[in-house]
């Protein structure tokens, strides 16, 4: 009998593409967070070298993330001025919330049906972190937990078309809320997210859609206070 020899598992060609996608997603999340938290303010120029140094993720993923942010309307490209962080459009914000409501209902109800047990647990954990952050008045932790909850919810619904459509709206809303959060109520926002997470975790599609409506009602009421 011939002796058998072990050989290393061949490197899959798709592995590099997956790794690059993950790094690009990390870059996108990092820049999105800078915009949403107003670390990059509306109208601010995007200096690529400074941004690369700031997020520490390299030129290629940073450029890919910037292109996605241009497509999502968070960054605008102007002739002779380059890339700028887009302005907050007060007049259009209520229209944005109206469109987002339909997508959030769809995402919430499908997440309630399709989420895996770990995803259901993760949603509850994110909502709990939001509640803790709200009680402590920690805006940064609140927004990080909010972003994490969105990521889990979007993955759980398994509807890429709905997620692609809602993400730009979510980011605009997060930035709007950050800009005017002195007129908002983190505790109420956390409560709405807790209801949403619980309904999805329990697999209750109708209750999840209703919780999404409550969240949109809160955001609309908040926006109306700001705009008035």
């Amino acid at each position: 009998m011939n002796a058998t020899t072990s050989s290393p598992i061949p490197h899959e060609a798709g592995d590099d593409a997956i790794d690059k996608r993950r790094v690009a997603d990390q870059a996108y999340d990092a820049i999105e967070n800078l915009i949403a938290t107003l670390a990059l303010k509306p109208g601010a120029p995007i200096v690529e070298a400074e941004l690369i140094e700031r997020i520490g993720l390299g030129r290629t993923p940073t450029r890919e993330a910037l292109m996605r942010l241009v497509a999502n309307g968070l960054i605008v490209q102007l002739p002779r001025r380059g890339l700028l962080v887009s302005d907050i459009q007060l007049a259009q914000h209520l229209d944005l919330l109206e469109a987002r409501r339909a997508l959030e209902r769809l995402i919430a109800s499908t997440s309630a049906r399709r989420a895996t047990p770990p995803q259901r647990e993760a949603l509850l954990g994110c909502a709990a972190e939001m509640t803790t952050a709200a009680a402590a008045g920690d805006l940064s932790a609140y927004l990080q937990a909010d972003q994490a909850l969105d990521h889990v919810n979007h993955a759980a619904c398994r509807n890429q078309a709905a997620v692609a459509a809602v993400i730009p709206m979510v980011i605009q809303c997060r930035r709007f809320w950050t800009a005017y959060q002195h007129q908002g109520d983190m505790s109420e926002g956390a409560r709405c997210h807790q209801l949403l997470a619980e309904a999805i975790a329990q697999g209750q599609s109708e209750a999840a859609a209703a919780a999404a409506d409550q969240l949109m009602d809160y955001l609309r009421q908040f926006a109306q206070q700001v705009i008035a």
Side-chain angles (χ1 to χ4, degrees):
M1 180 181 296
N2 294 329
T4 59
T5 59
S6 61
S7 59
I9 298 174
H11 180 75
E12 295 290 341
D15 289 349
D16 287 340
I18 293 172
D19 290 342
K20 289 177 181 177
R21 168 55 55 190
R22 287 173 180 163
V23 176
D25 287 343
Q26 291 173 15
Y28 181 92
D29 286 345
I31 301 171
E32 174 203 307
N33 187 60
L34 292 174
I35 293 173
T37 60
L38 303 181
L40 288 174
K41 298 184 182 301
I46 299 296
V47 181
E48 186 179 280
E50 293 178 2
L51 193 57
I52 290 169
E53 182 177 357
R54 194 166 186 174
I55 67 174
L57 289 173
R59 184 180 302 276
T60 298
T62 298
R63 284 185 172 176
E64 182 173 338
L66 289 173
M67 287 189 290
R68 288 169 59 187
L69 287 161
V70 169
N72 287 343
L74 270 296
I75 293 176
V76 295
Q77 188 167 17
L78 300 178
R80 295 183 297 279
R81 295 187 63 190
L83 299 178
L84 303 175
V85 179
S86 65
D87 291 330
I88 296 174
Q89 302 293 332
L90 287 178
Q92 299 173 5
H93 196 71
L94 293 178
D95 290 341
L96 181 149
L97 287 172
E98 184 177 4
R100 182 182 170 187
R101 180 184 294 271
L103 290 166
E104 292 290 0
R105 284 181 57 86
L106 171 62
I107 290 169
S109 61
T110 53
S111 288
R113 295 195 304 270
R114 298 172 179 173
T116 64
Q119 287 171 331
R120 296 177 197 275
E121 183 177 351
L123 284 168
L124 292 173
C126 292
E129 290 177 7
M130 291 185 73
T131 299
T132 299
D138 189 337
L139 178 61
S140 177
Y142 179 91
L143 291 173
Q144 287 177 7
D146 181 25
Q147 185 184 53
L149 189 151
D150 284 339
H151 283 334
V152 179
N153 189 21
H154 293 166
C157 81
R158 303 182 207 171
N159 186 324
Q160 293 183 356
V163 170
V166 84
I167 282 177
M169 301 179 190
V170 170
I171 304 170
Q172 293 282 14
C173 288
R174 188 174 290 127
R175 183 170 65 151
F176 184 94
W177 198 93
T178 303
Y180 301 101
Q181 54 89 19
H182 58 282
Q183 295 180 240
D185 183 346
M186 276 198 289
S187 295
E188 179 61 16
R191 187 188 73 83
C192 291
H193 283 87
Q194 183 71 46
L195 292 174
L196 178 66
E198 289 175 354
I200 295 173
Q202 294 165 10
Q204 299 177 350
S205 296
E206 292 184 5
D213 272 341
Q214 287 191 49
L215 176 58
M216 291 300 103
D217 288 342
Y218 162 69
L219 292 178
R220 181 177 179 81
Q221 180 182 19
F222 164 67
Q224 288 173 326
Q225 291 175 347
V226 172
I227 295 170

